[in-house]
C-alpha cells in the first residue's frame, strides 16, 4: 500500500467485509427456513429456478446500470434489498420461503457485482493489481468471523433475526458508500 492509498483500501476492505457478511447471513437464513419447511430433495429444483430467474434479472439490471450512475444505483438497491429483508423476515411461511430463497440469491449476486464494479472504477488498473487481494481479504475475514459467530448468534437471538442482521449489514454498506463518496473523490483515486 502506497502513501495516500491506505484510507481507500481500508474503506473497500470494510465494504467487502460487510457485503460478504450480508450474503453469508442471508444465505444462512434462507437455507434454514427452506430446510425447516421443505425436503432437501427440492434443493436441485431451487437451483434450476434460481438459474432461470437470475439470468433475465441480471440482463435487466445490466440495462438499468448503463442508464443510472453507479452510486445512485447502489444506494437504490441497498435500500430496496434491506427493506425487503425487513419485510420478509416476519412473514417467512408458505410460498414466501422459496420466494425468499430465490430473492436472496439475486440480492447477493447484484451486491457482489456492484461492489466489484465500484471497486474497479475507484482504483487505477495498476492500483487494482496491487490492492484487490487486500480488498478481497475483507470478504475472507467476513466468512471467518461471521461463520464462527452465526451459531452463537442464532442460539441467543434465534434464526428469526437473521434477515434483520443481513439488512443491518446492508445499512452499514449503504452508510459506508455514503462516507466513501463524501470523504474520497468517488470513482477514481489518483
Amino acid at each position: 500500500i502506497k502513501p495516500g492509498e491506505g484510507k481507500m483500501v481500508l474503506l473497500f476492505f470494510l465494504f467487502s467485509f460487510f457485503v460478504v457478511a450480508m450474503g453469508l447471513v442471508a444465505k444462512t437464513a434462507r437455507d434454514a427456513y427452506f430446510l425447516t419447511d421443505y425436503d432437501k430433495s427440492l434443493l436441485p429444483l431451487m437451483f434450476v429456478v434460481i438459474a432461470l430467474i437470475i439470468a433475465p434479472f441480471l440482463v435487466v439490471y445490466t440495462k438499468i446500470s448503463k442508464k443510472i450512475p453507479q452510486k445512485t444505483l447502489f444506494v437504490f438497491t441497498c435500500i430496496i434489498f434491506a427493506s425487503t429483508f425487513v419485510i420478509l423476515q416476519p412473514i417467512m411461511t408458505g410460498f414466501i420461503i422459496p420466494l425468499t430463497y430465490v430473492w436472496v440469491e439475486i440480492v447477493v449476486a447484484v451486491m457482489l457485482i456492484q461492489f466489484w464494479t465500484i471497486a474497479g472504477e475507484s482504483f487505477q488498473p495498476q492500483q487494482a493489481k496491487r490492492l484487490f487481494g487486500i480488498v478481497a481479504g475483507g470478504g475472507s475475514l467476513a466468512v471467518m468471523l461471521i461463520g464462527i459467530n452465526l451459531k452463537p448468534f442464532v442460539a441467543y437471538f434465534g434464526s428469526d433475526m437473521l434477515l434483520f442482521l443481513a439488512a443491518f449489514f446492508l445499512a452499514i454498506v449503504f452508510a459506508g458508500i455514503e462516507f466513501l463518496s463524501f470523504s474520497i473523490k468517488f470513482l477514481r483515486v489518483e
Side-chain angles (χ1 to χ4, degrees):
I1 299 175
K2 293 182 179 177
E5 295 175 335
K7 188 174 184 181
M8 186 73 149
V9 171
L10 176 61
L11 288 172
F12 272 94
F13 180 88
L14 294 172
F15 192 0
S16 173
F17 179 92
F18 286 108
V19 167
V20 172
M22 174 279 304
L24 185 61
V25 170
K27 285 184 171 194
T28 300
R30 95 166 170 196
D31 290 345
Y33 281 112
F34 189 84
L35 293 173
T36 298
D37 285 13
Y38 294 91
D39 189 74
K40 66 181 177 183
S41 65
L42 293 174
L43 284 175
L45 176 63
M46 292 307 298
F47 299 146
V48 171
V49 170
I50 287 168
L52 292 173
I53 292 175
I54 204 165
F57 186 92
L58 290 178
V59 168
V60 171
Y61 167 79
T62 302
K63 288 179 182 177
I64 292 170
S65 71
K66 291 178 181 176
K67 296 178 182 178
I68 299 174
Q70 232 6 273
K71 182 188 174 240
T72 304
L73 182 61
F74 184 81
V75 167
F76 185 65
T77 55
C78 274
I79 292 168
I80 290 172
F81 293 161
S83 298
T84 58
F85 285 166
V86 170
I87 291 166
L88 288 170
Q89 182 66 70
I91 59 171
M92 290 296 286
T93 59
F95 77 95
I96 298 294
I97 293 171
L99 180 72
T100 301
Y101 197 96
V102 175
W103 181 243
V104 164
E105 204 63 38
I106 291 169
V107 169
V108 172
V110 169
M111 291 305 297
L112 287 171
I113 289 167
Q114 287 184 324
F115 167 74
W116 285 111
T117 300
I118 292 170
E121 292 176 351
S122 298
F123 291 92
Q124 297 293 332
Q126 300 81 6
Q127 291 175 309
K129 289 178 188 177
R130 286 185 295 106
L131 302 173
F132 275 9
I134 298 168
V135 167
S140 298
L141 183 62
V143 169
M144 290 183 281
L145 291 180
I146 301 301
I148 289 170
N149 290 300
L150 268 179
K151 187 175 181 179
F153 179 88
V154 170
Y156 187 77
F157 293 105
S159 61
D160 293 344
M161 296 301 289
L162 286 174
L163 287 179
F164 292 138
L165 181 61
F168 175 71
F169 287 149
L170 275 173
I172 291 172
V173 170
F174 171 80
I177 201 69
E178 288 298 313
F179 178 75
L180 180 68
S181 63
F182 177 76
S183 65
I184 297 172
K185 292 180 183 175
F186 188 71
L187 298 181
R188 274 293 177 217
V189 170
E190 301 301 330

